[in-house]
């Protein structure tokens, strides 16, 4: 098809920013064409139905005859049936187009999020992302289907009715048409006001939703701080603000509709005044006057809704721009086309080309600063970690211990220098290959909604019950499974809500172990577990880390005394390195941390 003549050509879609949605509209040209055809046909038939009223009055009532009434009724009923069928297909097309576009946009947005790096999610709040994927896509899909349908229908009806009136009696038609500019101006004025108020209502509603979320997720904190009254006061203030703005919006809407109704009455009065006079003079018949009265009453609403539709199309430019900004976001960590061609990506893995990961890790002259930071947290850093070695990273809370781990896992790219695995730069192999060979246990455990089995087998979907049992036994989580009513098939709830933090962490350990990773990363992974379980877990971890390269962000220094190398981090920078004994001899930061924690353990009875 010639793009210039296409219904969805870029030139035609550029208006209101719809050109950016061409990939979505273009998938459903048939539905979009049916929608427009139904709209134009419905508007045309709706416009001519008053002509039947004119004919019936002039011919049957004034003419005092029933001649031809059968054909008239048949034709009239046929038009009404055709109008009903066309309206059905128009509404059906709108609904289907809306749902298809909504599905595709949300799927594409969610898929896009899977390709973005960890750094992106650290900068963009969950609320904003939720708004992009849910609210913006819903607004866009609804407006480009239903508003286009309503707008095209009303414009067709409006233009067609004006042409009919002008062709019958131009002076009488002007009695109706003269009101239309006034209605259009009033509609534009109030639409601007209502758009501003609607935007404010949505903003306040987002604040209220945020307060709801905070009150639910932070219930333990609010009760421990006894701040229920403060939260209630803030929430009441937000809802009262919503009441004021929504009431003001209601007042504007009421005034708007009242003015439209008044304009319609004025148009009707003008038609009755002038039309009545010329009817008496015999210029037009009473049926024709009735026709103009019908148009006078019916034309104001199409003007109003056409303005509303155009205003909605203008409004969604912001939604389209925000959605498009997300879709055009480039990940800070990307594989080259050559790497993707060989290894695949996160949606199409080519595991047959994946080499085995042995576990040699090297930092070669690495400098790094976070994308939103100004200072380097690593400068010309060098470190060689032979396979099977254990590297411990220690420091005060907030010291920046996760930087090295983030680079090893390729959550971020080095600003300069190279991170190598088995002698090859990480960028020469796919991120998916790397992540599939790393067992990562976070300080704050996370489980997905679903069963225990589903959560354990995310990294190894073909795991057998025997393998699950072995992984569970290795982390001493047998009691967790035993207490659950349906064992591995028990639902864990949203974010593992049916389990304690310690139980979730044990399952996170088992999940990491199940994939048999070549590299282990433990990010203060035992901080959520009681001291008795921690000892059992630590024994299991020591056995499991044998022969594997491990990076441990240490919560307790006593657990990493046997590490091959210990890195001490302060203010995001590595200030000391060595073995446990070497660092104690230096009597520096590590020595002070160790002595401080030793005293705390002795006072608390841990040792």
């Amino acid at each position: 098809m010639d793009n210039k003549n296409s219904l969805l050509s870029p030139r035609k879609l550029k208006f209101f920013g719809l050109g950016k949605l061409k990939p979505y509209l273009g998938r459903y040209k048939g539905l979009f064409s049916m929608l427009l055809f139904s709209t134009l046909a419905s508007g045309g038939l709706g416009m001519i139905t008053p002509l039947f009223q004119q004919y019936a009055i002039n011919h049957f009532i004034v003419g005092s005859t029933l001649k031809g009434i059968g054909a008239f009724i048949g034709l009239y009923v046929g038009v009404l049936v055709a109008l009903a069928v066309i309206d059905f297909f128009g509404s059906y097309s709108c609904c289907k187009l809306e749902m298809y576009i909504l599905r595709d946009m949300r799927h594409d947005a969610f898929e896009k999020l899977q390709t973005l790096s960890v750094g992106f999610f650290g900068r963009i709040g969950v609320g904003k992302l939720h708004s992009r994927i849910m609210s913006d896509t819903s607004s866009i899909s609804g407006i480009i289907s239903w508003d286009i349908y309503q707008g095209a229908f009303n414009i067709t009806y409006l233009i067609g009715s004006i042409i009919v009136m002008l062709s019958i009696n131009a002076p009488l038609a002007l009695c109706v048409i003269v009101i239309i500019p006034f209605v259009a101006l009033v509609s534009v004025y109030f639409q601007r006001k209502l758009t501003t108020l609607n935007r404010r209502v949505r903003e306040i509603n987002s604040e209220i939703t945020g307060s709801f979320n905070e009150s639910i997720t932070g219930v333990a904190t609010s009760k421990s701080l006894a701040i229920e009254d403060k939260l209630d006061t803030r929430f009441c203030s937000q809802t009262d603000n919503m009441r004021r703005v929504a009431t003001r919006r209601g007042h504007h809407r009421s005034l708007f509709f009242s003015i439209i109704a008044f304009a319609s009455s004025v148009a009707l009065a003008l038609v009755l005044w002038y039309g009545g006079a010329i009817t008496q003079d015999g210029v037009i018949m009473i049926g024709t006057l009735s026709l103009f009265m019908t148009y006078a009453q019916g034309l104001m609403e199409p003007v109003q809704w056409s303005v509303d539709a155009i205003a909605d199309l203008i409004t969604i430019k912001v939604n389209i721009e925000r959605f498009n900004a997300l879709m055009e976001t480039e990940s800070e960590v990307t594989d080259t086309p050559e790497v993707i061609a060989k290894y695949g990506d996160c949606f199409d893995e080519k595991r047959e080309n994946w080499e085995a990961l042995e576990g040699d890790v090297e930092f070669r002259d690495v400098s790094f600063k976070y994308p939103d930071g100004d200072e380097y947290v690593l400068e010309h850093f060098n470190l060689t970690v032979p396979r099977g070695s254990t590297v411990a990273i220690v420091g005060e809370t907030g010291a920046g211990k996760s930087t090295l781990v983030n680079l090893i896992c390729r959550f971020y790219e080095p600003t300069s220098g190279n991170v190598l695995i088995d002698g090859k730069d990480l960028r020469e192999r796919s991120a998916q290959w790397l992540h599939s060979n790393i067992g990562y246990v976070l300080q704050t455990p996370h489980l997905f909604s679903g069963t225990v089995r589903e959560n354990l087998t995310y990294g190894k979907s073909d795991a057998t019950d025997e393998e699950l049992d072995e992984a569970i036994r290795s982390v001493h989580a047998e009691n967790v499974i035993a207490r659950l009513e349906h064992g591995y098939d028990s639902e864990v709830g949203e974010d593992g809500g049916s389990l304690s933090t310690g139980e979730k962490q044990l399952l996170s350990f088992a999940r990491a172990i199940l994939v048999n990773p070549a590299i282990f990363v433990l990010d203060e992974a035992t901080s959520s577990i009681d001291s008795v379980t921690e000892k059992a877990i630590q024994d299991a971890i020591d056995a499991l880390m044998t022969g594997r390269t491990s990076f441990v962000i240490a919560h307790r220094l006593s657990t990493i005394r046997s590490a091959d190398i210990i890195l001490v981090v302060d203010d995001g920078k590595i200030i000391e390195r060595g073995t446990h004994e070497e660092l104690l001899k230096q009597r520096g930061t590590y020595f002070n941390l160790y002595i401080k924690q030793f005293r705390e353990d002795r006072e608390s009875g841990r040792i």
Side-chain angles (χ1 to χ4, degrees), residues 139-444:
S139 297
I140 294 168
S141 61
I143 288 175
I144 65 176
S145 54
W146 291 102
D147 276 46
I148 287 177
Y149 178 77
Q150 290 291 341
F153 169 84
N154 287 309
I155 290 173
T156 302
Y157 182 88
L158 181 65
I159 294 174
S161 299
I162 291 174
I163 292 173
V164 170
M165 287 191 296
L166 288 172
S167 66
I168 294 174
N169 189 291
L172 187 55
L174 291 176
C175 292
V176 180
I177 297 172
V178 72
I179 304 297
I180 292 178
F182 169 75
V183 174
L185 289 174
V186 169
S187 297
V188 170
Y189 172 78
F190 276 96
Q191 191 57 50
R192 288 177 178 174
K193 291 284 186 182
L194 290 171
T195 298
T196 301
L197 291 171
N198 282 332
R199 185 178 295 116
R200 182 58 185 147
V201 166
R202 288 196 297 268
E203 291 172 355
I204 299 173
N205 189 60
S206 296
E207 294 173 5
I208 292 174
T209 302
S211 294
F212 261 122
N213 290 337
E214 285 183 354
S215 66
I216 294 170
T217 57
V219 62
T221 302
S222 62
K223 289 189 176 298
S224 64
L225 296 174
I227 57 173
E228 292 91 343
D229 58 333
K230 295 181 177 61
L231 295 178
D232 184 63
T233 299
R234 185 182 69 172
F235 188 78
C236 287
S237 175
Q238 290 170 335
T239 53
D240 195 51
N241 194 20
M242 169 71 90
R243 175 194 60 79
R244 286 194 300 270
V245 176
T247 301
R248 188 179 172 196
R249 180 184 62 178
H251 289 163
H252 278 76
R253 286 179 64 86
S254 299
L255 182 58
F256 176 37
F257 289 126
S258 297
I259 292 175
I260 296 298
F262 174 75
S264 180
S265 299
V266 170
L268 181 59
L270 289 173
V271 168
L272 285 172
W273 167 69
Y274 182 71
I278 63 175
T279 300
Q280 286 184 335
D281 294 339
V283 177
I284 63 171
M285 298 179 68
I286 192 168
T288 305
L289 176 61
S290 174
L291 171 72
F292 275 83
M293 290 171 62
T294 301
Y295 282 139
Q297 288 181 303
L299 282 187
M300 301 306 123
E301 187 173 322
V303 176
Q304 170 201 334
W305 285 111
S306 297
V307 172
D308 287 350
I310 293 172
D312 285 342
L313 288 171
I314 293 173
T315 300
I316 66 163
K317 286 185 67 176
V318 176
N319 303 97
I320 294 172
E321 288 168 2
R322 293 194 304 192
F323 175 79
N324 206 54
L326 171 62
M327 298 305 297
E328 292 177 353
T329 300
E330 295 293 334
S331 177
E332 294 147 6
V333 178
T334 56
D335 291 329
T336 64
E338 294 77 16
V339 168
I340 294 174
K342 179 178 180 180
Y343 295 96
D345 56 25
C346 57
F347 302 112
D348 182 24
E349 300 172 348
K350 297 181 180 179
R351 288 181 175 262
E352 65 275 10
N353 296 329
W354 289 10
E355 298 91 348
L357 194 154
E358 302 297 335
D360 293 312
V361 179
E362 181 183 356
F363 287 80
R364 186 179 294 173
D365 195 31
V366 171
S367 295
F368 175 72
K369 62 180 177 181
Y370 286 97
D372 56 349
D374 297 323
E375 295 186 5
Y376 281 94
V377 294
L378 285 179
E379 290 187 88
H380 305 292
F381 176 72
N382 293 279
L383 177 67
T384 299
V385 182
R387 68 189 67 177
S389 303
T390 298
V391 178
I393 307 169
V394 303
E396 297 280 7
T397 301
K401 299 187 290 295
S402 298
T403 299
L404 280 180
V405 167
N406 287 335
L407 291 172
I408 294 164
C409 294
R410 207 182 167 200
F411 294 154
Y412 296 91
E413 301 278 29
T415 306
S416 63
N418 307 87
V419 179
L420 298 91
I421 299 283
D422 297 343
K424 273 197 169 186
D425 192 298
L426 283 181
R427 287 166 284 205
E428 296 179 25
R429 288 171 173 165
S430 73
Q432 196 71 3
W433 166 83
L434 176 65
H435 297 157
S436 297
N437 282 287
I438 293 179
Y440 199 137
V441 183
L442 298 164
Q443 178 182 6
T444 303

Side-chain angles (χ1 to χ4, degrees), residues 10 76 78 128 130 198 203 314 322 377 474 524 558 561:
Y76 186 48
K128 288 184 178 180
H130 186 273
N198 282 332
E203 291 172 355
I314 293 173
R322 293 194 304 192
V377 294
S474 67
E524 301 194 59
S558 58
R561 283 179 293 189

Side-chain angles (χ1 to χ4, degrees), residues 493-521:
E494 184 179 354
D495 193 24
S498 63
L499 303 172
S500 69
T501 302
E503 289 173 333
K504 288 193 290 184
Q505 190 64 295
L506 290 175
L507 294 181
S508 296
F509 270 108
R511 179 171 59 193
I513 290 166
L514 189 63
V515 299
N516 191 27
I519 296 177
F520 259 120
V521 175

